[in-house]
Amino acid sequence: AQSVTQLDSHVSVSEGTPVLLRCNYSSSYSPSLFWYVQHPNKGLQLLLKYTSAATLVKGINGFEAEFKKSETSFHLTKPSAHMSDAAEYFCVVSDNAGKSTFGDGTTLTVKP
Amino acid sequence: DTGVSQDPRHKITKRGQNVTFRCDPISEHNRLYWYRQTLGQGPEFLTYFQNEAQLEKSRLLSDRFSAERPKGSFSTLEIQRTEQGDSAMYLCASSGLGGRGRYRAETQYFGPGTRLLVL
């Protein structure tokens, strides 16, 4: 069994300040972990993916995530928020068959 | 545009009617997944195919739901005798074992979804 908990349903930051979106996972095997972003009325877009090659994963648009096995966490960060980052973010864990379990999402608001 | 297309993008129907959605995955992908997303929630897994074989179905997929992938290419999801609780966004995703071009191996690429409203 696998599960994902996104610790914050809403995060609000000012433009130019750091972003931290928190995610904890549970899995009975070595998981694949993902972050997806969903803009209003748009499809899910892959931000980044962890597959055990490196614990610090770099994604698109300046986002990064660090896999910490001891903490079962996969938090998403960005050094400086941009207005265009405002969206819904999903942390995802997948099993070997690719069946994905999504968190409930974190809504990121970026204030000017 | 991820390369996964879904049709229609929107569907309004009356309770009790049947609806069918189509998904065209990325052509070289052998796995195809269906998810359902309700307002304020993350997508929930419904079912997946490897080539034409349906390998797993979620308990969310009641007897009124059926999915097919007859030739291992496109897939259809049919809902019979729709209920208001079926109103949701239905998402399709595809993945392949080998990465190629801009597509990463074993990574799901999602279509834009079909938004269903049952009146």
Side-chain angles (χ1 to χ4, degrees):
Chain A
Q2 58 189 22
S3 66
V4 174
T5 302
Q6 291 186 241
L7 299 169
D8 307 291
S9 58
H10 292 87
V11 170
S12 181
V13 300
S14 297
E15 189 175 21
T17 64
V19 176
L20 170 63
L21 305 183
R22 299 182 295 165
C23 172
N24 286 110
Y25 70 92
S26 172
S27 176
S28 55
Y29 39 77
S30 296
S32 292
L33 294 161
F34 305 79
W35 276 97
Y36 284 85
V37 61
Q38 189 174 38
H39 288 90
N41 299 315
K42 296 284 180 72
L44 286 158
Q45 181 184 16
L46 177 70
L47 276 180
L48 50 80
K49 171 185 179 182
Y50 167 76
T51 55
S52 77
T55 57
L56 183 63
V57 183
K58 293 185 184 297
I60 62 170
N61 301 335
F63 284 94
E64 292 183 348
E66 185 172 9
F67 173 72
K68 291 186 176 180
K69 186 174 181 179
S70 61
E71 299 177 10
T72 60
S73 69
F74 190 57
H75 300 336
L76 182 70
T77 60
K78 182 173 180 177
S80 175
H82 191 271
M83 295 297 291
S84 61
D85 294 328
E88 188 81 11
Y89 290 79
F90 294 99
C91 182
V92 181
V93 59
S94 287
D95 65 15
N96 292 336
K99 187 178 80 174
S100 294
T101 301
F102 282 71
D104 287 336
T106 298
T107 303
L108 176 64
T109 302
V110 182
K111 297 175 291 186
Chain B
D1 182 8
T2 62
V4 179
S5 61
Q6 292 186 247
D7 184 69
R9 295 290 305 276
H10 299 88
K11 179 70 177 180
I12 301 174
T13 191
K14 293 182 179 179
R15 188 176 53 188
Q17 298 294 305
N18 298 344
V19 295
T20 300
F21 310 140
R22 176 178 169 126
C23 171
D24 286 272
I26 294 164
S27 59
E28 59 263 40
H29 282 178
N30 61 336
R31 289 180 173 174
L32 186 148
Y33 307 80
W34 285 99
Y35 293 85
R36 181 174 68 187
Q37 184 178 20
T38 52
L39 204 60
Q41 303 293 320
E44 296 173 293
F45 170 80
L46 291 178
T47 188
Y48 94 96
F49 293 84
Q50 181 154 311
N51 300 313
E52 65 275 11
Q54 187 174 17
L55 296 185
E56 188 169 345
K57 293 193 290 187
S58 162
R59 55 181 170 77
L60 294 174
L61 214 65
S62 75
D63 291 344
R64 296 184 298 104
F65 288 71
S66 63
E68 294 182 344
R69 193 182 184 198
K71 297 181 180 179
S73 57
F74 72 92
S75 175
T76 57
L77 178 68
E78 181 183 16
I79 309 175
Q80 297 182 324
R81 305 182 302 282
T82 53
E83 301 173 356
Q84 288 183 324
D86 297 332
S87 296
M89 175 76 86
Y90 290 84
L91 295 165
C92 173
S94 70
S95 71
L97 293 176
R100 189 172 166 185
R102 68 181 173 117
Y103 298 116
R104 302 179 65 175
E106 299 182 16
T107 298
Q108 292 182 33
Y109 292 88
F110 285 82
T114 294
R115 187 172 294 281
L116 173 66
L117 177 61
V118 182
L119 301 176

